[in-house]
Amino acid sequence: MAVGIQPSMSHRPHDVVDRIELSPTYEEDQTVWIIVRSNLFKSVDGGENWQRITNGIDNQTPNNLSDLDMFAQSKDILFLSTNGDGIYKSQDGGISWQKVNQGLETLKIDSVVISPNDSNLVLAKGTEGGLFKTNNGGTNWTSVIDENTKLTAVAFLPNNDSQIILGDNKGNLYLSEDKGENWQIMGNSPDNNLINALAISPNFANDKMILIGTDKGIFKSVDLGKSFVSISEENLDNNIRDIVIKDVENNSLKIFVSTADMGVFQSEDEGENWKKINQGLTKDGQADEFKVPHFYELGIPPTFSQDGVIFVGGFNGLFKSQNSGETWQELETLSGGIVANLGISPNYKNDSTLGVVTYVGNAYLSSDGGNTWKTINKGLEPPRFTRQFNFTGQDPRRFFDVAFSPNYESDGNIFASVLWENFLRSTNRGQNWQIVGLPGAKGQSLRGFSIVPSPGFAQDNTVYVATMYGLIMRSTDGGQNFSVMSAIDSYKINEPLAIVISPNFPTDKTLYASGVKGIYKTTDEGKTWQATTEKTPLENLFYFQLAISPNYESDRTVIAGTEQGVYISKDAGETWVKLTNTSYGDNEHVQALAISPNYENDQTFVVSIRAKGLFKTVDGGETFEKIGDNALTFSRMNNIPYRGQAIQFSPSYAEDNTLYGFGGTNTEIYRSTDAGNTWETITIPVNTNDNYDLITWGSLFFLVYRGPIARVVAAAVVAIFSYFILGYLGLEKKLPLSKLQIKLIGTFVTFIVAFLILFKL
């Protein structure tokens, strides 16, 4: 491992920042764009704070954002490519986006590049091959290289839109001298190695320098790619991910290179010598497990010569240097403090209680509708999970779900689920927690738990837990013990299983859940499940949100939100009807779904539509109206496996018109008190420290060191026992010592021997 890069196993969630774009006026506006785990984020303060951008990006698959490019002369014009939904364009600095797919022969695009001098000239590489071009800013695309050619790198020559260079997976370099209309092979990389990166000197008119990066190193050409020489060094990681050449002053150049394993290198003499600049960069062993790079794209603003700012994306996050790479700081992008789920007390009308869990580290409780908050982590201190005080791995408090007991007013029970095999239970309104281990099942992964308490919890003490891979577990003693009930075939993707329970569960024993054949139903408490959507369009869908009518006994209504719109069943899942002629479109991706607790009377439910915002119906889905604010995102973060129900009604909605939601980049929730028309953002003060009182510290100390403590006590008991035994042996008559001296010496020797044996020394 390279000196200066520290391995880290504590970072969750992995940010995996693989695309970076900086404003051409970065010095004034400090604007940074990144793609992080297929979420599009924007910062206007150099990466300190982030906003999630979704307005207009209606991609059907949440995890397919592939590339981003900004026009070099205006921060207002951006193109975004996806691996399955084509290309989006923004002309207002990313406030809104529109699809620009006319003429594309495939919607699987892995890269998009704008000419530095003409925002109308854009090239797009197909994920599986081919190259597309637009001369009119995306209004129409034409194919200029067929799909049999897999391109891997694109670069425009400086100050010359007519000349463009491409690299492919066989090491070929192509040249166009007519703005991409026609192409010819100009050369090859040594040994025909796949070209990962391509950079052209800002002084190309004079030095003719082209650099290519492969997984075998860096190569330089000064004759338009006809020949290349290696400029790699022995200490340089040869798996090159990105190359940036900067004209610093007096036509002198600095070359920066990011590498898959060793981070960032710099050369000030056109590659003759390289300096490793890695202090502060961190790595994570999981990148090696997944066989992906530790480091990706570089971002260097035009003002580098003045401010020394460099960004580099990595598996472990986004790093920034403000001194030309001498030292790096990791920036928080995809925060562990994002809200994983929100729970509302069933007695909200009287107690105004909310519970929130973050993706990593904290549980919070509010007793005044979200105005003030307290941390409720007692009993969840890391040593209780790790059995160590100085644990350096990931924080084990990785939350997936939170739920209140339906009988919370009387029993004070709150439930939560956390990383892998642990269910959490508080019986005193969050004052402390009990950690309950969950049983495993052969071939099943315990991950991404959803929690569903029985509506009759006061009588049956029943609570269900479902994993994202379809394993169903049940407790009938209030969450103290669980047993495996069954398993539903479920897609193994980073998407939690959707599950709802009948409000009449004590009598009808009914639950609904999602799986590989769409929506499943059980009427025997989860022992067996039947697919209700087999051989229907729902069978082939992946992403589900489910809601069940509070008046299910009478109206038999279940609602499903999918990536292809909203479906409704009014006969307990026997048949499903798609809601059409809606104000948001017919085949839109539903990111969140919630039904009014007063549905029998108000026929109200709310859906969050990807790229379009919130819509509400008050006639059971016949018509919808737009509500809320497009600046807010009501959905779970893409590619993060937590259960979050991003919109929820107050149980007393009929009186208070209150809804809650979440989906931002910070520890915050949204609240509406006018039936969803307007929303306010409530920021939750973040707790970053675990402060232990004396009793907690003592209990944790005993928990962690109970083995050694037990051994010391055992040795002491043996020694005390020997003290009395020696008193009866009468050794003082045979030795020139008093009886007390013999007892003390013998006891000490016995203690030492017992201590050594017990500790196996």
Side-chain angles (χ1 to χ4, degrees):
M1 181 172 293
V3 175
I5 294 183
Q6 300 298 318
S8 169
M9 285 299 291
S10 60
H11 192 78
R12 288 296 187 282
H14 298 301
D15 288 11
V16 193
V17 175
D18 52 9
R19 295 291 186 271
I20 304 169
E21 280 298 318
L22 304 182
S23 166
T25 53
Y26 177 83
E27 184 179 17
E28 292 82 29
D29 55 49
Q30 299 287 293
T31 298
V32 185
W33 289 85
I34 59 173
I35 295 178
V36 49
R37 290 186 73 139
S38 206
N39 296 277
L40 183 60
F41 280 14
K42 177 183 180 181
S43 171
V44 293
D45 56 10
E48 293 299 317
N49 296 282
W50 298 92
Q51 177 188 4
R52 185 181 178 191
I53 304 299
T54 61
N55 186 22
I57 305 173
D58 61 350
N59 52 317
Q60 293 298 305
T61 304
N63 305 324
N64 69 356
L65 302 187
S66 58
D67 195 18
L68 178 71
D69 198 24
M70 180 185 295
F71 183 39
Q73 298 181 32
S74 172
K75 66 176 182 176
D76 291 332
I77 300 174
L78 301 100
F79 282 79
L80 174 70
S81 64
T82 70
N83 189 12
D85 288 276
I87 299 171
Y88 295 86
K89 179 182 180 181
S90 175
Q91 300 183 83
D92 55 13
I95 295 173
S96 62
W97 296 80
Q98 299 80 35
K99 273 184 179 172
V100 286
N101 289 340
Q102 183 67 37
L104 289 177
E105 295 176 3
T106 177
L107 297 181
K108 293 183 177 181
I109 306 295
D110 71 0
S111 180
V112 61
V113 181
I114 310 171
S115 162
N117 301 303
D118 181 2
S119 63
N120 288 312
L121 176 57
V122 187
L123 299 179
K125 296 194 289 95
T127 303
E128 297 168 352
L131 182 72
F132 302 91
K133 170 192 169 184
T134 178
N135 286 319
N136 49 25
T139 300
N140 187 69
W141 299 84
T142 58
S143 173
V144 291
I145 294 181
D146 66 46
E147 62 183 8
N148 295 320
T149 303
K150 179 66 174 74
L151 300 167
T152 54
V154 181
F156 283 84
L157 267 66
N159 304 315
N160 188 344
D161 286 330
S162 296
Q163 293 184 301
I164 312 168
I165 298 177
L166 305 176
D168 71 10
N169 63 341
K170 296 180 181 179
N172 295 311
L173 279 177
Y174 301 81
L175 173 67
S176 173
E177 296 186 294
D178 56 6
K179 297 188 176 183
E181 288 297 322
N182 297 283
W183 298 87
Q184 59 183 351
I185 292 180
M186 57 186 288
N188 305 85
S189 67
D191 300 322
N192 295 319
N193 293 313
L194 180 152
I195 299 171
N196 292 322
L198 173 61
I200 300 173
S201 168
N203 303 326
F204 182 81
N206 297 319
D207 60 27
K208 307 298 183 186
M209 185 171 69
I210 300 172
L211 301 182
I212 60 171
T214 73
D215 57 2
K216 301 296 182 182
I218 307 175
F219 301 89
K220 179 169 74 172
S221 173
V222 292
D223 57 6
L224 274 180
K226 295 181 178 65
S227 63
F228 282 91
V229 295
S230 172
I231 57 171
S232 294
E233 286 185 345
E234 184 176 343
N235 70 333
L236 178 69
D237 174 11
N238 284 330
N239 192 343
I240 309 301
R241 308 312 303 174
D242 196 14
I243 305 172
V244 176
I245 307 173
K246 299 298 292 186
D247 187 351
V248 287
E249 54 185 18
N250 299 322
N251 291 326
S252 64
L253 302 177
K254 275 192 178 183
I255 304 172
F256 294 92
V257 170
S258 66
T259 68
D261 186 65
M262 295 172 66
V264 183
F265 292 78
Q266 170 192 288
S267 174
E268 297 182 349
D269 53 14
E270 298 189 6
E272 292 296 321
N273 298 280
W274 293 93
K275 178 184 178 182
K276 197 182 308 179
I277 48 174
N278 289 341
Q279 186 176 343
L281 296 180
T282 62
K283 302 200 308 184
D284 191 296
Q286 268 200 340
D288 297 320
E289 294 175 27
F290 297 154
K291 298 181 180 180
V292 297
H294 287 278
F295 300 99
Y296 294 94
E297 193 168 71
L298 291 162
I300 305 179
T303 53
F304 168 76
S305 296
Q306 291 77 47
D307 57 26
V309 169
I310 312 175
F311 292 86
V312 65
F315 183 84
N316 217 30
L318 179 66
F319 300 88
K320 180 181 180 180
S321 173
Q322 299 185 81
N323 52 13
S324 302
E326 292 298 320
T327 58
W328 297 85
Q329 172 194 4
E330 182 179 348
L331 303 179
E332 185 175 68
T333 56
L334 195 54
S335 169
I338 60 175
V339 173
N341 207 358
L342 162 73
I344 306 178
S345 164
N347 191 41
Y348 180 83
K349 180 179 179 180
N350 298 315
D351 62 24
S352 300
T353 296
L354 307 171
V356 161
V357 290
T358 62
Y359 185 58
V360 180
N362 283 308
Y364 300 94
L365 197 72
S366 172
S367 298
D368 54 12
N371 294 321
T372 61
W373 296 84
K374 64 178 180 180
T375 308
I376 50 171
N377 281 359
K378 192 169 184 180
L380 303 180
E381 299 84 6
R384 298 193 190 278
F385 298 93
T386 65
R387 301 299 191 266
Q388 299 177 44
F389 275 112
N390 297 316
F391 181 69
T392 58
Q394 62 175 290
D395 191 323
R397 298 167 302 179
R398 179 170 164 182
F399 289 98
F400 292 99
D401 202 357
V402 64
F404 285 86
S405 159
N407 197 41
Y408 179 73
E409 181 181 9
S410 302
D411 61 28
N413 282 352
I414 309 174
F415 308 115
S417 56
V418 76
L419 185 65
W420 304 119
E421 70 274 7
N422 294 311
F423 175 84
L424 309 177
R425 173 176 177 260
S426 172
T427 59
N428 55 10
R429 307 180 194 281
Q431 293 182 46
N432 52 48
W433 294 87
Q434 173 192 3
I435 302 170
V436 179
L438 292 170
K442 187 176 180 179
Q444 288 283 344
S445 172
L446 298 183
R447 179 180 171 91
F449 305 108
S450 302
I451 301 171
V452 183
S454 164
F457 185 83
Q459 291 75 41
D460 58 29
N461 286 307
T462 295
V463 59
Y464 286 86
V465 169
T467 73
M468 64 189 299
Y469 299 143
L471 189 65
I472 309 296
M473 290 170 275
R474 182 180 69 173
S475 171
T476 56
D477 58 7
Q480 298 180 72
N481 298 279
F482 284 84
S483 60
V484 174
M485 291 288 290
S486 55
I488 301 171
D489 290 334
S490 183
Y491 291 105
K492 294 191 174 181
I493 56 178
N494 258 6
E495 183 70 14
L497 178 139
I499 184 168
V500 292
I501 192 166
S502 165
N504 311 105
F505 176 79
T507 55
D508 64 24
K509 313 299 182 188
T510 296
L511 298 96
Y512 292 84
S514 59
V516 295
K517 293 182 179 179
I519 300 170
Y520 290 71
K521 177 183 178 182
T522 178
T523 55
D524 59 7
E525 303 179 309
K527 298 182 182 70
T528 60
W529 296 80
Q530 299 79 40
T532 70
T533 53
E534 195 170 7
K535 297 180 180 179
T536 74
L538 286 158
E539 180 181 14
N540 300 314
L541 301 180
F542 288 86
Y543 303 95
F544 285 91
Q545 303 286 332
L546 294 179
I548 191 166
S549 167
N551 196 43
Y552 176 78
E553 183 177 21
S554 300
D555 62 28
R556 318 302 283 168
T557 296
V558 185
I559 306 170
T562 76
E563 70 266 36
Q564 289 289 319
V566 180
Y567 289 78
I568 190 167
S569 174
K570 296 183 179 181
D571 53 12
E574 291 296 318
T575 60
W576 295 84
V577 176
K578 186 174 184 178
L579 300 181
T580 58
N581 298 316
T582 60
S583 60
Y584 55 77
D586 291 339
N587 296 306
E588 305 303 322
H589 191 119
V590 180
Q591 300 184 115
L593 169 65
I595 193 166
S596 165
N598 192 39
Y599 184 74
E600 179 181 9
N601 298 312
D602 62 24
Q603 294 290 287
T604 295
F605 63 88
V606 176
V607 293
S608 172
I609 303 298
R610 181 180 297 278
K612 295 185 177 180
L614 287 182
F615 292 82
K616 180 173 69 173
T617 178
V618 294
D619 53 17
E622 293 294 324
T623 61
F624 285 83
E625 64 173 336
K626 180 78 169 64
I627 61 172
D629 180 353
N630 278 355
L632 302 179
T633 301
F634 292 81
S635 75
R636 292 180 294 105
M637 200 69 68
N638 293 336
N639 206 19
I640 300 294
Y642 56 86
R643 179 61 194 105
Q645 300 170 57
I647 309 171
Q648 296 182 44
F649 281 83
S650 158
S652 51
Y653 176 76
E655 294 90 40
D656 59 30
N657 289 312
T658 296
L659 296 96
Y660 287 93
F662 63 88
T665 58
N666 301 309
T667 310
E668 61 190 17
I669 63 172
Y670 314 131
R671 179 175 64 192
S672 172
T673 56
D674 59 3
N677 292 311
T678 61
W679 295 79
E680 61 179 315
T681 299
I682 299 172
T683 300
I684 301 173
V686 176
N687 173 42
T688 58
N689 298 308
D690 290 305
N691 298 312
Y692 305 155
D693 57 30
L694 187 60
I695 295 176
T696 300
W697 189 92
S699 65
L700 291 174
F701 185 87
F702 180 78
L703 177 70
V704 172
Y705 299 111
R706 64 188 185 282
I709 291 172
R711 294 186 187 102
V712 170
V713 171
V717 169
V718 171
I720 292 171
F721 182 74
S722 69
Y723 178 87
F724 292 102
I725 293 296
L726 290 171
Y728 289 102
L729 295 179
L731 295 178
E732 72 279 1
K733 298 177 181 178
K734 302 176 182 180
L735 298 172
L737 297 170
S738 68
K739 186 174 183 178
L740 178 60
Q741 288 174 322
I742 291 171
K743 283 184 176 183
L744 292 175
I745 293 172
T747 299
F748 177 75
V749 171
T750 303
F751 177 81
I752 295 300
V753 172
F755 182 87
L756 292 175
I757 291 173
L758 287 168
F759 280 84
K760 300 179 182 180
L761 299 176

